Amino acid sequence: MGYPMITQLGRYKILSEIGRGAMGVVYRGEDPLLNRTVAIKTIIMSSDAEERAEYEARFYQEARAAGGLNHPNLITIYDIGREADTAYMAMELLDGIELRELMKRGRVALPFALEIAAQVADGLAFAHEHGVVHRDVKPANVMIIRGRHAKIMDFGIARVRVSDIQTQAGAVLGSPKYMSPEQVTGNRADHRSDIFSLGVLIHELVCGSAPFSAPTVTALMHAITIALPPPPSSVDRSLPKMLDLIVAKMLEKEPDVRYQGATEIAADLRACLEQLTESPITMPVSASADAEKTAKLDVALDARTAILNQESTVASEATLMARNEPEERTRRTDIATATHVVTGTVPPLFPSSAFDSDEALNRLAAMASIGGQDAAGADAISRSSSTLRHVWGNPDRRWFAAAMVIAIVCAVLIAIL
């Protein structure tokens, strides 16, 4: 359908064309009185008298419906008027992108989707509180501005519940994919119809596909009234179960079973968003493996420490018994053994992130045992010190002990270098 070129509508100067619809054109215009740029929505009156009256009534109904609403998530209507056969409405010019275009680029992040859906619910709740039902909630009628702010547009088929304007019997108003069962069957649609349509929008927003689909409009309408929608988590397992419950309640066939107010929806969506942000961060695979390895190492250290403490005690007892033995060589051997166990001349070990060998575990366990001995270990050291003082009193024994100390120091230096 062709539309005549327009350069002026009332006091508004037409700057350019923004888009075209079934009922008219949307222009970018300038308001010289207030010195601001506006969007001007027009409707071309039909030559048919009956259609003309219906379109004109619906157009002015939108103006009355949206013009009385002032909310951050609803578009603002400034003015309405008529120029010859063209009725027009001046409204807020939104600099952003339609949600429909955003969804065409691919699935959006879940936190973003939940926040945008909650904002749309806020706007609908305000409209419903003032007796206005949108009846055409869909992604094309949601504008995203400044990256994360949603505005509901196009109240062109909005119904004022207190209005005297009656919908034609059996008439279907709305976009088929987002219609509620009562819209499909031609029954009166109240604010709960918007809730159903928002549920369809949310499902498509988080899943990338609408809950109802069919090759023909007739089959689609049948699916909307009969078919059960798949839970979002059945399409994407990463989606939270709480979102399944929210969407299922919004998409109930019977209006009385759905959410009865959009305010509840906004609250539940934000609660779901909070669950996402407060959920514990899962440990990466590498970190998890390291943690498991550390736990195994702790067990090994405890076991080795217990064994070494027991060996230290046995060695100390053997040293005391050796004092009563007549043979000097046997006593020297026992003293050297006790000294080795107590002083713990184990080469130092610097553990790495890969601690898998039994030998490394054993050596680290020995180091841990030597670095933090209990009371039994301290007692063993005391007894061994007494034994060494006894040994040091004999010149021959002093030479032997000195040789042992030098050997031990050399072994430590070799291990370090």
Side-chain angles (χ1 to χ4, degrees), residues 391-402:
V391 169
W392 200 255
N394 188 303
D396 294 335
R397 293 171 182 171
R398 283 200 301 269
W399 283 108
F400 178 82

Side-chain angles (χ1 to χ4, degrees), residues 23 43 45 48-61 165-168 171 173:
M23 297 173 63
I43 177 173
M45 300 300 180
D48 183 270
E50 186 176 349
E51 286 187 0
R52 182 187 184 116
E54 179 187 350
Y55 283 0
E56 188 172 6
R58 281 169 52 189
F59 184 79
Y60 288 123
Q61 179 172 308
I165 300 175
Q166 300 296 323
T167 302
Q168 195 175 11
L173 298 177

Side-chain angles (χ1 to χ4, degrees), residues 183-392:
Q183 284 178 296
V184 168
T185 55
N187 295 324
R188 184 179 178 86
D190 60 15
H191 66 287
R192 295 171 295 184
S193 176
D194 285 349
I195 289 176
F196 186 95
S197 300
L198 180 57
V200 177
L201 185 153
I202 293 174
H203 190 288
E204 185 175 14
L205 188 59
V206 300
C207 297
S209 59
F212 308 105
S213 61
T216 65
V217 174
T218 302
L220 176 61
M221 291 182 173
H222 179 76
I224 291 173
T225 56
I226 301 298
L228 293 177
S233 66
S234 69
V235 180
D236 183 349
R237 293 183 179 180
S238 67
L239 297 176
K241 296 296 183 182
M242 183 177 180
L243 185 59
D244 289 349
L245 300 176
I246 295 172
V247 172
K249 190 172 182 180
M250 297 176 72
L251 296 180
E252 288 286 354
K253 307 299 182 185
E254 293 295 329
D256 291 340
V257 188
R258 293 177 207 148
Y259 283 95
Q260 298 303 294
T263 302
E264 302 174 60
I265 300 172
D268 285 353
L269 288 171
R270 290 192 170 99
C272 186
L273 181 59
E274 288 179 4
Q275 281 192 356
L276 290 179
T277 56
E278 294 175 359
S279 58
I281 300 174
T282 56
M283 187 180 296
V285 176
S286 59
S288 178
D290 289 342
E292 182 179 358
K293 193 176 296 180
T294 301
K296 293 180 179 178
L297 179 60
D298 290 341
V299 174
L301 285 173
D302 292 340
R304 291 295 300 171
T305 299
I307 293 173
L308 287 173
N309 286 340
Q310 183 178 3
E311 291 177 353
S312 177
T313 302
V314 171
S316 298
E317 293 175 353
T319 302
L320 293 175
M321 293 174 62
R323 293 178 181 176
N324 300 323
E325 292 180 5
E327 296 185 8
E328 188 73 13
R329 188 179 299 275
T330 302
R331 179 184 298 176
R332 292 175 180 175
T333 302
D334 291 341
I335 292 174
T337 302
T339 303
H340 175 74
V341 173
V342 174
T343 57
T345 57
V346 181
L349 179 64
F350 300 93
S352 66
S353 59
F355 231 116
D356 296 325
S357 69
D358 290 338
E359 179 183 357
L361 288 175
N362 293 341
R363 293 168 66 193
L364 183 60
M367 289 177 62
S369 173
I370 294 164
Q373 293 181 350
D374 53 14
D379 184 62
I381 292 174
S382 176
R383 290 195 299 269
S384 298
S385 298
S386 176
T387 301
L388 290 175
R389 285 194 300 269
H390 179 72
V391 169
W392 200 255

